[in-house]
Amino acid sequence: MYTRKNQKDLDPDERARFVGAVLEVKRRGVYDEFVRLHGRYFVSDGEGGQRVGHMSPSFFPWHRQYLLEFERALQQVDPAVTLPYWDWTVDQAPSSSPWTDDFLGGDGRPGDHRVMTGPFAFDGGNWPVDVGVTEEKYLMRSFGRPADPVALPTPAELEWAIGDPVYDSAPWDSTSTTAGFRNKVEGWTVGEQEGWHNHNRVHLWVGGQMTGGTSPNDPVFWLHHTFIDLIWARWQRRHRGSGYEPARPLPASDPQHGRVVSLDEPLSPWQVRPSELLDHTRFYLYAE
Amino acid sequence: MSPRTAPVTRRDMMRAALTTAVVVGTSAAVAPIVLADPAPAPAPAAPRGTFDEVYRGRRIQGGPVPVRYASARGAAAPASGPGVEISIDGRPLHVMRRADGSYLSLVNHYRSFPTPLEAARAAVDEIGTAQLSTASFHHH
């Protein structure tokens, strides 16, 4: 049992050990496997096939297992390291933690958006982006997308999602807009005038690789998704009578039959069931 | 640094290029209508959703392709409708449909666009002058 902390509460030694473990996992070639895995399991709901990671109810448990796998890889390097979380509703300053030189480094420079500071800057030689959407080998960020400004989610926007007592609802995809905590956090909207919410919006705000199909290339991915994981735990605490849905496999008559994972069906690629992942305290605790 | 001495950034250049590209894009969109109007039997129009234009200095092309088979290992099933193929300077940009009919690309994975053309333009907005990677890690 270990504890995941708020990134702003890490001391300098904890920051250094987290960074060191991430760099070592990268050096071993394991990091890029995580980048590929995430891309491979990003299946959109207008396509055929089963969706486990995105646009589906298992958005939360799939990423919980994904984070656990990554955390184990870090702990093989340094058993004391755990994943920190970034509360982007509160810590929104673009130059304070986690964007400091001894942690994740800062914003990309104007023009080519290349990150120039911190341990993940290309010039440091430790962070080549080898699994990329474009041929550029350097990490990029463009905080707030200045060309078309986007803001980090507010506490009210997150509360709008956490306050929904329904976990998810039909059609169990990215158009589940009427009710459902899951998509209010994941953040898909329908209609041109809508922005994108919470999880999606943070990907857009960071910019660079975080906006694309290789988003885990930016280490902030893990801090972002650890907060998403904590949000799930907070929702469970708030709504004791609610639970993961769908609770049973969808009938063959349902258009989403075989395309989403219910409570006791296995999640690829680990074959773990959402029901085994509901209680995070089996694995770790959160310092809040 | 005063604005007067500020270096010209890529964004400035892109903004300049955009102004040009909008003109190019508009004429490309209008041209077929103008040409087709006086002709009694116009040649069959390009399939709906087809485009070929220069946007911010990049050639973007797109059009429908036959039904594709979607990704996730072991769960391949026919897509619900025709897919779309987009390229930037001849390199394929992977595009996926959402259930509401909109499109998202490998460059913009956390938002979607009403049309393939808008997805292509947004990808250029995002990558600037970069070339798409030809390596595929998506099983599509």
Side-chain angles (χ1 to χ4, degrees):
Chain A
M1 184 63 65
Y2 52 88
T3 299
R4 293 179 176 177
K5 299 180 179 176
N6 189 318
Q7 58 82 22
K8 73 178 175 191
D9 296 330
L10 299 193
D11 64 32
D13 181 59
E14 289 170 322
R15 284 197 292 273
R17 292 178 76 157
F18 175 77
V19 168
V22 171
L23 293 178
E24 178 59 16
V25 168
K26 172 77 169 178
R27 195 189 65 77
R28 293 178 180 182
V30 173
Y31 195 96
D32 288 352
E33 290 306 313
F34 280 93
V35 177
R36 287 193 187 90
L37 180 83
H38 189 264
R40 204 153 56 227
Y41 282 88
F42 197 119
V43 177
S44 190
D45 53 12
E47 312 283 335
Q50 191 180 60
R51 307 184 305 279
V52 288
H54 303 86
M55 303 188 188
S56 73
S58 52
F59 169 74
F60 286 103
W62 191 89
H63 281 90
R64 174 164 287 174
Q65 185 66 29
Y66 182 61
L67 263 56
L68 276 170
E69 300 282 337
F70 182 69
E71 195 168 42
R72 285 166 190 160
L74 295 178
Q75 290 171 348
Q76 282 173 14
V77 175
D78 184 342
V81 168
T82 68
L83 290 175
Y85 65 89
W86 170 38
D87 182 346
W88 26 255
T89 68
V90 174
D91 300 304
Q92 302 196 333
S95 53
S96 51
S97 191
W99 310 114
T100 52
D101 289 359
D102 69 342
F103 203 5
L104 301 187
D107 194 3
R109 66 182 178 186
D112 64 5
H113 305 155
R114 185 197 294 222
V115 171
M116 302 300 287
T117 57
F120 305 99
F122 183 77
D123 288 351
N126 296 316
W127 203 255
V129 174
D130 293 321
V131 182
V133 172
T134 62
E135 288 186 337
E136 276 128 328
K137 296 291 186 191
Y138 48 87
L139 182 64
M140 294 178 273
R141 293 178 185 142
S142 182
F143 290 169
R145 203 174 59 194
D148 179 16
V150 57
L152 286 169
T154 62
E157 182 173 342
L158 181 57
E159 173 57 30
W160 162 77
I162 294 184
D164 192 330
V166 177
Y167 177 79
D168 206 347
S169 60
W172 317 105
D173 61 13
S174 74
T175 67
S176 304
T177 51
T178 49
F181 158 73
R182 189 270 309 168
N183 194 37
K184 285 177 178 173
V185 174
E186 191 179 358
W188 296 101
T189 53
V190 174
E192 287 178 61
Q193 300 311 314
E194 294 285 334
W196 310 96
H197 297 304
N198 293 304
H199 158 264
N200 280 6
R201 180 173 279 264
V202 173
H203 278 273
L204 299 176
W205 183 87
V206 176
Q209 280 86 2
M210 274 287 277
T211 66
T214 62
S215 50
N217 272 313
D218 191 328
V220 78
F221 176 95
W222 308 104
L223 281 67
H224 172 36
H225 268 278
T226 302
F227 187 51
I228 296 290
D229 190 77
L230 170 56
I231 289 168
W232 187 22
R234 286 180 179 170
W235 178 86
Q236 290 172 313
R237 206 162 59 208
R238 177 94 66 93
H239 306 282
R240 296 281 184 195
S242 303
Y244 183 92
E245 293 178 69
R248 273 172 285 281
L250 298 175
S253 58
D254 192 300
Q256 294 293 321
H257 171 76
R259 300 186 62 195
V260 301
V261 173
S262 66
L263 185 62
D264 283 309
E265 293 179 285
L267 280 170
S268 291
W270 312 285
Q271 304 310 310
V272 60
R273 299 153 199 279
S275 57
E276 300 171 77
L277 294 167
L278 299 179
D279 179 10
H280 72 279
T281 66
R282 290 176 55 210
F283 310 103
Y284 51 83
L285 303 173
Y286 278 108
E288 293 183 68
Chain B
M1 187 184 292
S2 88
R4 195 178 299 275
T5 58
V8 177
T9 65
R10 189 176 73 172
R11 191 170 300 119
D12 294 331
M13 290 189 288
M14 292 201 309
R15 199 170 287 132
L18 171 63
T19 313
T20 317
V22 165
V23 175
V24 172
T26 306
S27 54
V30 169
I33 300 167
V34 174
L35 292 174
D37 199 31
R48 192 177 141 80
T50 300
F51 57 89
D52 184 347
E53 69 173 35
V54 175
Y55 177 73
R56 292 190 164 185
R58 310 295 301 269
R59 185 174 186 185
I60 54 176
Q61 296 165 283
V65 294
V67 172
R68 292 177 304 142
Y69 290 82
S71 51
R73 264 185 267 172
S80 50
V84 62
E85 214 163 56
I86 293 180
S87 66
I88 300 177
D89 289 345
R91 296 193 175 196
L93 170 66
H94 184 74
V95 192
M96 296 189 282
R97 294 298 293 273
R98 269 182 67 204
D100 65 355
S102 62
Y103 299 83
L104 64 151
S105 79
L106 198 56
V107 170
N108 289 288
H109 240 34
Y110 297 93
R111 58 190 296 212
S112 61
F113 305 89
T115 66
L117 176 60
E118 284 161 281
R121 287 176 174 170
V124 170
D125 290 342
E126 187 65 39
I127 68 174
T129 56
Q131 288 291 345
L132 292 173
S133 169
T134 51
S136 174
F137 56 88
H138 254 257
H139 284 205
H140 287 274

